[in-house]
């Protein structure tokens, strides 16, 4: 546990002073989350060193810092998934449990004694103290996971390649964190020995996992400030909802998009995004997004990748296939990775690229 806390403090420093200077605000809150985890780990060896007897107030503050752990993680994820990184005063409400419990412990800090309660009140207070933190952790874990799922859906409105900004590493970390939460709940409520023995190892593994991925992360929203402002103004599309663009303007945008798709094959650009497409047709991101949603009943990501798959099918059945491998075909079709290409191809065609080639070769032989 001492090694784990030391690793956490080192990672916290690296996140707050991230060497790549990416997702700065999000990483600062993630660093604060990690430091509270580090203090939670440190609390155990400190207890066995009787630190709670020699420095009771400081030890109590370390315990109270646990109520900051879940809010710091959630706010970090909010900043990771938010296009405009603006501080919102409503985020301060997430620290209310910490403030309430701090107020509750003021008598201990001042005179070294707790509030006095009768027997019935003591039972209620003990129940609240025992369940408040686990309940907070579970609620915020769910909120964090749901926020990441929404992010994956929202980035498909403006990006044709989501591998760089889908935050899958953070999703995997949350799943590992869930395992840690379960082992921690075992310590609090169930006391199953085989899980207790695994707890320090799981804690240490999760810290190294987060360190590995967080230090490799890229800027999630790699757009100019004007593009970010435009993207933040895009409203959620609702079928049969109010029209944000007139029919005349829709037809004009549709014509321009068709020209770019059919004649310039703009979908072959690996880094194509909604702002880039909007700029090419002299329209705003809001107009372009609405036009694609309204006219094609699809998001930007699916709209572009359908054309890429059709291009890939043509390349796979041409002489180019003998010159290029599957990865080459993927790049030639506009994809950035073989994994995304294979997944998307199977989604729309029902076969993997290799199976598609084999099935068409068999069909040609039969026809011959």
């Amino acid at each position: 546990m001492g090694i784990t806390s030391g690793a956490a403090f080192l990672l916290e420093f690296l996140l707050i002073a991230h060497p790549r200077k990416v997702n700065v605000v999000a990483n600062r809150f993630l660093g604060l989350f990690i430091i509270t985890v580090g203090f939670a780990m440190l609390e155990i060896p400190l207890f066995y060193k009787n630190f709670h007897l020699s420095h009771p107030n400081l030890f109590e503050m370390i315990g109270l810092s646990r109520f900051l752990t879940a809010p710091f993680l959630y706010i970090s994820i909010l900043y990771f998934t938010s296009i405009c990184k603006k501080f919102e005063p409503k985020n301060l409400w997430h620290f209310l449990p910490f403030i309430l419990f701090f107020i509750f412990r003021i008598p201990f800090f001042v005179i070294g004694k707790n509030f006095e309660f009768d027997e019935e009140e003591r039972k209620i207070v003990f129940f609240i103290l025992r369940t408040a933190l686990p309940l907070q952790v579970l609620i915020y874990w769910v909120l964090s996971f749901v926020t990441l799922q929404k992010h994956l859906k929202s980035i498909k409105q403006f990006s044709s390649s989501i591998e760089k900004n889908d935050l899958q590493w953070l999703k995997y970390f949350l799943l590992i964190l869930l395992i840690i939460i379960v082992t921690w709940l075992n310590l609090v409520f169930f006391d199953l020995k085989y899980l207790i023995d695994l707890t320090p190892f799981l804690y240490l593994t999760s810290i190294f996992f987060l360190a590995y991925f967080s230090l490799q992360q890229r800027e999630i929203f790699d757009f100019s400030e004007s593009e970010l402002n435009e993207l933040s103004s895009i409203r959620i599309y609702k079928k049969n909802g109010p029209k944000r663009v007139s029919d005349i303007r829709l037809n004009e945008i549709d014509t321009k998009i068709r020209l770019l798709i059919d004649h310039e094959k703009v979908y072959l650009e690996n880094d194509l995004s909604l702002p880039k497409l909007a700029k090419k047709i002299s329209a705003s991101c809001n107009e372009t997004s609405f036009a694609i949603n309204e006219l094609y009943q699809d998001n930007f990501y699916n709209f572009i990748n359908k054309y890429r798959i059709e291009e890939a099918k043509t390349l796979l059945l041409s002489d180019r296939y003998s010159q290029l491998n599957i990865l080459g075909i993927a790049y030639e079709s506009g994809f950035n990775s073989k994994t995304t290409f294979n997944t998307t191809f199977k989604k729309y065609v029902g076969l993997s690229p290799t199976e598609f080639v084999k099935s068409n070769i068999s069909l040609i032989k039969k026809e011959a």
Side-chain angles (χ1 to χ4, degrees):
M1 298 302 281
I3 294 171
T4 303
S5 62
F9 294 139
L10 175 59
L11 177 58
E12 171 266 335
F13 172 77
L14 291 173
L15 285 170
I16 291 178
H18 201 287
R20 293 190 177 185
K21 303 297 180 186
V22 295
N23 310 308
V24 176
V25 179
N27 277 314
R28 284 174 183 167
F29 277 103
L30 189 60
L32 291 171
F33 159 74
I34 289 296
I35 199 171
T36 59
V37 171
F39 278 127
M41 303 300 101
L42 191 61
E43 191 176 0
I44 296 171
L46 286 178
F47 179 82
Y48 284 104
K49 293 291 183 181
N50 294 321
F51 189 81
H52 61 295
L53 299 178
S54 58
H55 300 84
N57 285 359
L58 188 55
F59 188 80
E60 185 65 22
M61 278 304 301
I62 291 173
L64 284 174
S65 70
R66 292 186 178 198
F67 285 97
L68 296 172
T69 304
F72 278 147
L73 175 64
Y74 178 61
I75 293 173
S76 169
I77 290 176
L78 285 180
Y79 276 104
F80 270 119
T81 57
S82 174
I83 294 175
C84 285
K85 317 292 185 183
K86 293 180 180 178
F87 176 78
E88 296 184 25
K90 65 180 182 181
N91 287 336
L92 294 174
W93 285 104
H94 296 296
F95 301 108
L96 184 61
F98 170 77
I99 294 170
L100 291 176
F101 278 94
F102 178 78
I103 293 171
F104 176 76
R105 299 301 285 161
I106 285 177
F108 178 83
F109 293 128
V110 176
I111 59 175
K113 293 183 180 180
N114 299 317
F115 283 109
E116 293 186 2
F117 302 97
D118 59 35
E119 188 63 30
E120 288 301 315
E121 290 173 337
R122 195 177 294 113
K123 288 180 181 179
I124 295 171
V125 170
F126 178 75
F127 175 78
I128 293 172
L129 291 173
R130 192 167 185 238
T131 57
L133 186 59
L135 187 62
Q136 183 201 41
V137 167
L138 288 172
I139 290 172
Y140 274 89
W141 185 91
V142 172
L143 286 173
S144 299
F145 194 83
V146 169
T147 301
L148 280 181
Q149 291 298 96
K150 288 181 178 178
H151 168 72
L152 187 60
K153 186 177 179 181
S154 67
I155 60 176
K156 289 183 177 181
Q157 292 293 339
F158 56 82
S159 181
S160 65
S161 301
I162 61 174
E163 305 87 17
K164 296 178 182 178
N165 53 11
D166 60 4
L167 289 173
Q168 282 295 321
W169 65 272
L170 204 47
K171 181 179 177 180
Y172 294 142
F173 173 71
L174 280 181
L175 294 175
I176 290 176
L177 195 59
L178 181 61
I179 297 172
I180 292 172
I181 291 170
V182 170
T183 59
W184 172 64
L185 291 177
N186 172 63
L187 290 173
V188 176
F189 296 110
F190 308 112
D191 204 28
L192 299 175
K193 189 177 183 307
Y194 68 94
L195 269 181
I196 292 174
D197 294 338
L198 284 174
T199 300
F201 172 76
L202 288 171
Y203 286 160
L204 184 60
T205 303
S206 68
I207 294 296
F208 281 111
F209 177 91
L210 184 58
Y212 177 77
F213 285 100
S214 63
L215 295 177
Q216 294 186 79
Q217 67 184 271
R218 302 180 184 182
E219 186 65 49
I220 303 302
F221 302 102
D222 193 14
F223 300 102
S224 66
E225 188 174 345
S226 60
E227 289 173 338
L228 287 173
N229 289 332
E230 274 207 69
L231 288 173
S232 64
S233 69
I234 295 177
R235 284 168 282 174
I236 297 173
Y237 174 78
K238 293 181 180 179
K239 194 174 181 179
N240 300 322
K243 282 200 170 185
R244 307 198 299 263
V245 183
S246 67
D247 289 335
I248 295 173
R249 182 61 172 157
L250 274 177
N251 289 331
E252 181 185 339
I253 291 172
D254 184 34
T255 301
K256 290 181 178 180
I257 290 176
R258 287 291 181 189
L259 285 171
L260 286 172
I261 294 290
D262 296 336
H263 298 286
E264 296 185 27
K265 291 191 174 184
V266 68
Y267 52 85
L268 296 182
E269 296 179 15
N270 300 77
D271 61 345
L272 184 65
S273 63
L274 183 68
K276 286 187 177 182
L277 182 63
K279 189 175 181 180
K280 288 177 183 290
I281 62 174
S282 301
S284 69
C285 288
N286 193 43
E287 288 176 321
T288 309
S289 177
F290 180 79
I292 292 171
N293 293 157
E294 178 75 7
L295 298 173
Y296 306 104
Q297 294 298 304
D298 220 334
N299 58 46
F300 177 75
Y301 176 83
N302 289 335
F303 173 69
I304 294 299
N305 282 307
K306 283 177 183 176
Y307 286 100
R308 288 174 173 172
I309 292 301
E310 290 304 314
E311 181 72 19
K313 286 164 67 177
T314 302
L315 290 173
L316 287 168
L317 298 179
S318 69
D319 294 335
R320 296 292 303 280
Y321 180 60
S322 60
Q323 302 166 11
L324 300 167
N325 55 21
I326 294 297
L327 182 59
I329 295 291
Y331 285 137
E332 287 288 314
S333 304
F335 289 94
N336 284 321
S337 76
K338 184 178 178 180
T339 303
T340 304
F341 172 59
N342 286 332
T343 304
T344 310
F345 194 95
K346 193 158 190 175
K347 174 185 175 182
Y348 289 115
V349 182
L351 301 169
S352 69
T354 305
E355 290 170 341
F356 173 77
V357 173
K358 288 179 179 178
S359 64
N360 278 273
I361 289 174
S362 301
L363 186 62
I364 291 169
K365 286 181 179 179
K366 284 181 181 179
E367 290 177 353

